Tab-separated table of all heavy atoms in Angstrom:
chain	number	residue	atom	x	y	z
R	294	ASP	N	6.928	-8.228	-17.479
R	294	ASP	CA	6.617	-6.868	-17.065
R	294	ASP	C	6.965	-6.603	-15.597
R	294	ASP	O	6.637	-5.533	-15.061
R	294	ASP	CB	5.134	-6.547	-17.309
R	294	ASP	CG	4.199	-7.422	-16.496
R	294	ASP	OD1	4.670	-8.367	-15.845
R	294	ASP	OD2	2.998	-7.154	-16.505
R	295	TYR	N	7.613	-7.546	-14.965
R	295	TYR	CA	7.984	-7.368	-13.556
R	295	TYR	C	9.304	-8.086	-13.351
R	295	TYR	O	9.451	-9.247	-13.722
R	295	TYR	CB	6.885	-7.931	-12.655
R	295	TYR	CG	7.046	-7.665	-11.187
R	295	TYR	CD1	7.079	-6.364	-10.691
R	295	TYR	CD2	7.148	-8.694	-10.275
R	295	TYR	CE1	7.225	-6.112	-9.334
R	295	TYR	CE2	7.288	-8.462	-8.920
R	295	TYR	CZ	7.323	-7.169	-8.446
R	295	TYR	OH	7.474	-6.911	-7.127
R	297	LEU	N	12.827	-8.748	-10.741
R	297	LEU	CA	13.275	-8.770	-9.361
R	297	LEU	C	14.754	-9.180	-9.310
R	297	LEU	O	15.247	-9.877	-10.201
R	297	LEU	CB	12.480	-9.769	-8.512
R	297	LEU	CG	10.959	-9.692	-8.537
R	297	LEU	CD1	10.371	-10.532	-9.678
R	297	LEU	CD2	10.380	-10.177	-7.202
R	299	TYR	N	17.391	-11.062	-6.517
R	299	TYR	CA	17.519	-11.798	-5.273
R	299	TYR	C	19.003	-12.000	-5.001
R	299	TYR	O	19.813	-12.134	-5.909
R	299	TYR	CB	16.845	-13.186	-5.385
R	299	TYR	CG	15.342	-13.173	-5.314
R	299	TYR	CD1	14.584	-12.949	-6.465
R	299	TYR	CD2	14.680	-13.391	-4.121
R	299	TYR	CE1	13.195	-12.936	-6.406
R	299	TYR	CE2	13.295	-13.394	-4.052
R	299	TYR	CZ	12.547	-13.173	-5.195
R	299	TYR	OH	11.175	-13.170	-5.124
R	301	LYS	N	21.681	-14.511	-2.776
R	301	LYS	CA	21.718	-15.820	-2.149
R	301	LYS	C	23.098	-16.112	-1.563
R	301	LYS	O	24.105	-16.079	-2.274
R	301	LYS	CB	21.351	-16.903	-3.171
R	301	LYS	CG	21.207	-18.297	-2.544
R	301	LYS	CD	20.837	-19.314	-3.592
R	301	LYS	CE	20.588	-20.691	-2.947
R	301	LYS	NZ	21.762	-21.194	-2.230
R	304	ALA	N	24.058	-22.196	1.161
R	304	ALA	CA	23.239	-22.978	2.091
R	304	ALA	C	22.020	-22.200	2.613
R	304	ALA	O	21.455	-22.578	3.643
R	304	ALA	CB	24.072	-23.510	3.257
R	305	GLU	N	21.656	-21.116	1.936
R	305	GLU	CA	20.450	-20.375	2.306
R	305	GLU	C	19.567	-20.180	1.086
R	305	GLU	O	20.031	-20.329	-0.050
R	305	GLU	CB	20.811	-18.999	2.890
R	305	GLU	CG	21.540	-19.061	4.205
R	305	GLU	CD	21.778	-17.679	4.789
R	305	GLU	OE1	21.185	-16.719	4.294
R	305	GLU	OE2	22.591	-17.586	5.730
R	306	GLY	N	18.302	-19.849	1.323
R	306	GLY	CA	17.422	-19.531	0.209
R	306	GLY	C	17.654	-18.125	-0.291
R	306	GLY	O	18.258	-17.284	0.400
R	307	PRO	N	17.198	-17.820	-1.521
R	307	PRO	CA	17.341	-16.465	-2.038
R	307	PRO	C	16.569	-15.466	-1.192
R	307	PRO	O	15.487	-15.742	-0.698
R	307	PRO	CB	16.717	-16.567	-3.448
R	307	PRO	CG	16.758	-18.031	-3.784
R	307	PRO	CD	16.592	-18.747	-2.500
R	309	PHE	N	14.936	-11.626	-1.205
R	309	PHE	CA	14.496	-10.549	-2.091
R	309	PHE	C	15.266	-9.267	-1.807
R	309	PHE	O	15.443	-8.864	-0.652
R	309	PHE	CB	12.995	-10.314	-1.898
R	309	PHE	CG	12.490	-9.075	-2.578
R	309	PHE	CD1	12.373	-9.028	-3.957
R	309	PHE	CD2	12.136	-7.955	-1.837
R	309	PHE	CE1	11.919	-7.884	-4.587
R	309	PHE	CE2	11.683	-6.813	-2.451
R	309	PHE	CZ	11.560	-6.770	-3.830
R	352	PHE	N	20.731	-13.232	-8.297
R	352	PHE	CA	19.865	-13.750	-9.348
R	352	PHE	C	18.909	-12.658	-9.822
R	352	PHE	O	18.289	-11.984	-9.019
R	352	PHE	CB	19.031	-14.937	-8.854
R	352	PHE	CG	19.831	-16.175	-8.602
R	352	PHE	CD1	20.201	-16.542	-7.319
R	352	PHE	CD2	20.193	-16.996	-9.659
R	352	PHE	CE1	20.934	-17.689	-7.078
R	352	PHE	CE2	20.922	-18.155	-9.442
R	352	PHE	CZ	21.302	-18.485	-8.138
R	356	SER	N	8.828	-12.001	-14.442
R	356	SER	CA	7.520	-12.611	-14.669
R	356	SER	C	6.755	-11.748	-15.640
R	356	SER	O	7.107	-10.573	-15.866
R	356	SER	CB	6.740	-12.787	-13.362
R	356	SER	OG	6.328	-11.539	-12.844
R	357	GLY	N	5.681	-12.321	-16.234
R	357	GLY	CA	5.085	-11.559	-17.331
R	357	GLY	C	3.593	-11.683	-17.489
R	357	GLY	O	2.929	-12.456	-16.785
R	362	ASN	N	-0.401	-16.457	-17.552
R	362	ASN	CA	0.529	-15.957	-16.561
R	362	ASN	C	0.049	-16.310	-15.158
R	362	ASN	O	-1.102	-16.100	-14.799
R	362	ASN	CB	0.652	-14.447	-16.688
R	362	ASN	CG	1.504	-13.873	-15.616
R	362	ASN	OD1	2.558	-14.397	-15.301
R	362	ASN	ND2	1.053	-12.807	-14.999
R	363	THR	N	0.949	-16.836	-14.375
R	363	THR	CA	0.596	-17.233	-13.018
R	363	THR	C	1.518	-16.589	-11.992
R	363	THR	O	1.481	-16.959	-10.835
R	363	THR	CB	0.734	-18.763	-12.882
R	363	THR	OG1	2.072	-19.134	-13.204
R	363	THR	CG2	-0.246	-19.482	-13.804
R	364	GLY	N	2.318	-15.635	-12.421
R	364	GLY	CA	3.275	-15.047	-11.506
R	364	GLY	C	4.563	-15.857	-11.428
R	364	GLY	O	5.434	-15.541	-10.627
R	365	LYS	N	4.650	-16.881	-12.228
R	365	LYS	CA	5.850	-17.737	-12.254
R	365	LYS	C	7.074	-16.903	-12.551
R	365	LYS	O	7.084	-16.081	-13.467
R	365	LYS	CB	5.662	-18.779	-13.344
R	365	LYS	CG	6.870	-19.622	-13.704
R	365	LYS	CD	6.481	-20.562	-14.836
R	365	LYS	CE	7.660	-21.358	-15.344
R	365	LYS	NZ	7.230	-22.280	-16.438
R	366	LEU	N	8.126	-17.095	-11.755
R	366	LEU	CA	9.376	-16.374	-11.969
R	366	LEU	C	10.316	-17.208	-12.832
R	366	LEU	O	10.482	-18.396	-12.610
R	366	LEU	CB	10.054	-16.066	-10.637
R	366	LEU	CG	9.396	-15.023	-9.719
R	366	LEU	CD1	10.207	-14.878	-8.446
R	366	LEU	CD2	9.264	-13.702	-10.446
R	368	PHE	N	14.221	-17.366	-13.698
R	368	PHE	CA	15.472	-16.885	-13.133
R	368	PHE	C	16.626	-16.968	-14.135
R	368	PHE	O	16.661	-17.862	-14.998
R	368	PHE	CB	15.874	-17.722	-11.916
R	368	PHE	CG	15.093	-17.409	-10.678
R	368	PHE	CD1	13.857	-17.984	-10.449
R	368	PHE	CD2	15.614	-16.537	-9.721
R	368	PHE	CE1	13.143	-17.703	-9.301
R	368	PHE	CE2	14.915	-16.255	-8.557
R	368	PHE	CZ	13.679	-16.831	-8.339
R	369	GLY	N	17.581	-16.042	-13.985
R	369	GLY	CA	18.842	-16.163	-14.683
R	369	GLY	C	19.744	-17.154	-13.943
R	369	GLY	O	19.375	-17.708	-12.909
R	370	GLN	N	20.947	-17.329	-14.491
R	370	GLN	CA	21.856	-18.351	-13.939
R	370	GLN	C	22.581	-17.868	-12.683
R	370	GLN	O	23.187	-18.660	-11.961
R	370	GLN	CB	22.903	-18.758	-14.982
R	370	GLN	CG	22.334	-19.129	-16.327
R	370	GLN	CD	22.366	-17.935	-17.289
R	370	GLN	OE1	21.862	-16.846	-16.970
R	370	GLN	NE2	22.947	-18.131	-18.460
C	39	ARG	N	16.714	-29.556	6.436
C	39	ARG	CA	17.641	-28.682	5.728
C	39	ARG	C	18.547	-29.474	4.794
C	39	ARG	O	18.938	-28.987	3.738
C	39	ARG	CB	18.488	-27.902	6.719
C	39	ARG	CG	17.708	-26.868	7.536
C	39	ARG	CD	17.201	-25.713	6.667
C	39	ARG	NE	18.255	-25.094	5.895
C	39	ARG	CZ	19.046	-24.131	6.340
C	39	ARG	NH1	18.897	-23.661	7.561
C	39	ARG	NH2	19.975	-23.595	5.557
C	40	TYR	N	18.884	-30.674	5.200
C	40	TYR	CA	19.756	-31.553	4.409
C	40	TYR	C	19.178	-32.958	4.417
C	40	TYR	O	18.635	-33.409	5.423
C	40	TYR	CB	21.176	-31.583	4.967
C	40	TYR	CG	21.812	-30.223	5.079
C	40	TYR	CD1	21.709	-29.475	6.247
C	40	TYR	CD2	22.504	-29.679	3.993
C	40	TYR	CE1	22.276	-28.219	6.335
C	40	TYR	CE2	23.084	-28.416	4.094
C	40	TYR	CZ	22.958	-27.690	5.260
C	40	TYR	OH	23.519	-26.444	5.367
C	65	TYR	N	10.485	-24.798	-5.989
C	65	TYR	CA	11.506	-24.644	-7.032
C	65	TYR	C	12.604	-25.673	-6.816
C	65	TYR	O	12.873	-26.100	-5.687
C	65	TYR	CB	12.159	-23.258	-6.986
C	65	TYR	CG	11.289	-22.100	-7.446
C	65	TYR	CD1	10.413	-21.466	-6.562
C	65	TYR	CD2	11.385	-21.624	-8.743
C	65	TYR	CE1	9.646	-20.390	-6.986
C	65	TYR	CE2	10.619	-20.540	-9.171
C	65	TYR	CZ	9.749	-19.930	-8.291
C	65	TYR	OH	9.005	-18.860	-8.696
C	67	GLN	N	16.760	-25.988	-7.589
C	67	GLN	CA	17.951	-25.280	-8.063
C	67	GLN	C	19.120	-26.245	-8.151
C	67	GLN	O	19.572	-26.783	-7.134
C	67	GLN	CB	18.315	-24.107	-7.145
C	67	GLN	CG	19.483	-23.304	-7.712
C	67	GLN	CD	20.078	-22.332	-6.746
C	67	GLN	OE1	19.682	-22.268	-5.584
C	67	GLN	NE2	21.007	-21.540	-7.206
C	70	GLY	N	24.926	-23.971	-9.903
C	70	GLY	CA	25.374	-23.213	-11.070
C	70	GLY	C	24.250	-22.690	-11.933
C	70	GLY	O	24.493	-22.021	-12.951
C	71	GLN	N	23.024	-22.981	-11.541
C	71	GLN	CA	21.866	-22.507	-12.304
C	71	GLN	C	20.896	-21.757	-11.394
C	71	GLN	O	21.015	-21.822	-10.169
C	71	GLN	CB	21.140	-23.691	-12.953
C	71	GLN	CG	21.999	-24.483	-13.931
C	71	GLN	CD	21.224	-25.642	-14.533
C	71	GLN	OE1	20.015	-25.639	-14.573
C	71	GLN	NE2	21.962	-26.622	-15.049
C	72	GLY	N	19.949	-21.063	-12.009
C	72	GLY	CA	18.926	-20.401	-11.226
C	72	GLY	C	17.806	-21.375	-10.860
C	72	GLY	O	17.693	-22.445	-11.442
C	73	PRO	N	16.993	-21.010	-9.856
C	73	PRO	CA	15.864	-21.859	-9.498
C	73	PRO	C	14.881	-22.032	-10.657
C	73	PRO	O	14.669	-21.106	-11.436
C	73	PRO	CB	15.198	-21.095	-8.347
C	73	PRO	CG	16.273	-20.200	-7.797
C	73	PRO	CD	17.110	-19.831	-8.994
C	75	LEU	N	10.864	-23.450	-11.475
C	75	LEU	CA	9.603	-23.802	-10.832
C	75	LEU	C	9.225	-25.243	-11.121
C	75	LEU	O	9.250	-25.695	-12.260
C	75	LEU	CB	8.488	-22.875	-11.324
C	75	LEU	CG	7.123	-23.120	-10.704
C	75	LEU	CD1	7.112	-22.629	-9.260
C	75	LEU	CD2	6.018	-22.404	-11.494
C	78	GLN	N	3.205	-24.838	-8.473
C	78	GLN	CA	2.678	-23.652	-7.826
C	78	GLN	C	1.264	-23.931	-7.354
C	78	GLN	O	0.447	-24.495	-8.087
C	78	GLN	CB	2.664	-22.476	-8.812
C	78	GLN	CG	2.060	-21.198	-8.265
C	78	GLN	CD	2.028	-20.085	-9.283
C	78	GLN	OE1	2.734	-20.142	-10.293
C	78	GLN	NE2	1.222	-19.067	-9.046
C	85	VAL	N	-1.841	-24.584	-9.550
C	85	VAL	CA	-1.975	-23.582	-10.602
C	85	VAL	C	-1.092	-23.953	-11.800
C	85	VAL	O	-1.486	-23.773	-12.958
C	85	VAL	CB	-1.622	-22.191	-10.083
C	85	VAL	CG1	-1.612	-21.168	-11.197
C	85	VAL	CG2	-2.579	-21.768	-8.982
C	86	ASP	N	0.089	-24.468	-11.496
C	86	ASP	CA	1.048	-24.799	-12.555
C	86	ASP	C	1.917	-25.939	-12.085
C	86	ASP	O	2.623	-25.804	-11.091
C	86	ASP	CB	1.902	-23.565	-12.890
C	86	ASP	CG	2.879	-23.805	-14.044
C	86	ASP	OD1	3.026	-24.952	-14.502
C	86	ASP	OD2	3.499	-22.820	-14.504
C	121	LEU	N	13.684	-25.531	-3.073
C	121	LEU	CA	13.309	-24.271	-2.428
C	121	LEU	C	11.804	-24.102	-2.444
C	121	LEU	O	11.136	-24.377	-3.438
C	121	LEU	CB	13.925	-23.085	-3.167
C	121	LEU	CG	15.455	-23.007	-3.144
C	121	LEU	CD1	15.945	-22.102	-4.274
C	121	LEU	CD2	15.935	-22.487	-1.806
C	129	PRO	N	-2.136	-15.115	-7.797
C	129	PRO	CA	-0.890	-15.639	-8.382
C	129	PRO	C	0.050	-14.559	-8.869
C	129	PRO	O	1.224	-14.792	-8.995
C	129	PRO	CB	-1.397	-16.497	-9.542
C	129	PRO	CG	-2.741	-16.950	-9.111
C	129	PRO	CD	-3.322	-15.782	-8.352
C	130	ARG	N	-0.469	-13.359	-9.157
C	130	ARG	CA	0.456	-12.304	-9.585
C	130	ARG	C	0.704	-11.350	-8.448
C	130	ARG	O	0.809	-10.150	-8.633
C	130	ARG	CB	-0.156	-11.585	-10.782
C	130	ARG	CG	-0.241	-12.444	-12.007
C	130	ARG	CD	0.218	-11.719	-13.240
C	130	ARG	NE	1.575	-11.271	-13.123
C	130	ARG	CZ	2.043	-10.141	-13.658
C	130	ARG	NH1	1.242	-9.353	-14.346
C	130	ARG	NH2	3.293	-9.794	-13.515
C	132	GLY	N	3.182	-10.689	-6.885
C	132	GLY	CA	4.452	-9.963	-6.885
C	132	GLY	C	5.555	-10.715	-6.187
C	132	GLY	O	5.926	-11.814	-6.586
C	133	THR	N	6.082	-10.140	-5.108
C	133	THR	CA	7.295	-10.630	-4.510
C	133	THR	C	7.103	-12.006	-3.885
C	133	THR	O	6.158	-12.246	-3.127
C	133	THR	CB	7.780	-9.644	-3.448
C	133	THR	OG1	7.938	-8.371	-4.055
C	133	THR	CG2	9.091	-10.112	-2.840
C	134	GLN	N	7.998	-12.903	-4.207
C	134	GLN	CA	8.041	-14.220	-3.594
C	134	GLN	C	9.139	-14.256	-2.559
C	134	GLN	O	10.249	-13.797	-2.799
C	134	GLN	CB	8.285	-15.291	-4.671
C	134	GLN	CG	7.159	-15.364	-5.688
C	134	GLN	CD	7.422	-16.390	-6.764
C	134	GLN	OE1	8.158	-17.360	-6.578
C	134	GLN	NE2	6.800	-16.195	-7.913
C	136	PHE	N	11.453	-16.669	-0.084
C	136	PHE	CA	11.965	-18.033	-0.088
C	136	PHE	C	12.341	-18.536	1.305
C	136	PHE	O	12.778	-17.760	2.167
C	136	PHE	CB	13.212	-18.125	-0.985
C	136	PHE	CG	12.896	-18.113	-2.445
C	136	PHE	CD1	12.662	-16.919	-3.102
C	136	PHE	CD2	12.830	-19.290	-3.171
C	136	PHE	CE1	12.364	-16.897	-4.464
C	136	PHE	CE2	12.541	-19.291	-4.529
C	136	PHE	CZ	12.298	-18.087	-5.171
C	137	GLY	N	12.196	-19.822	1.469
C	137	GLY	CA	12.713	-20.498	2.656
C	137	GLY	C	14.184	-20.839	2.482
C	137	GLY	O	14.776	-20.548	1.426
C	138	PRO	N	14.795	-21.483	3.490
C	138	PRO	CA	16.224	-21.776	3.454
C	138	PRO	C	16.589	-22.923	2.516
C	138	PRO	O	17.741	-23.105	2.177
C	138	PRO	CB	16.555	-22.135	4.893
C	138	PRO	CG	15.265	-22.674	5.448
C	138	PRO	CD	14.196	-21.864	4.784
Side-chain angles (χ1 to χ4, degrees):
Chain R
D294 64 352
Y295 187 61
L297 308 89
Y299 285 84
K301 187 180 185 300
E305 294 184 13
F309 169 72
F352 290 101
S356 69
N362 175 45
T363 59
K365 170 182 175 179
L366 290 180
F368 283 84
Q370 310 96 307
Chain C
R39 292 292 307 275
Y40 304 92
Y65 288 85
Q67 185 192 4
Q71 299 180 22
L75 181 72
Q78 177 182 343
V85 174
D86 183 351
L121 295 161
R130 293 225 59 214
T133 304
Q134 297 178 25
F136 285 81

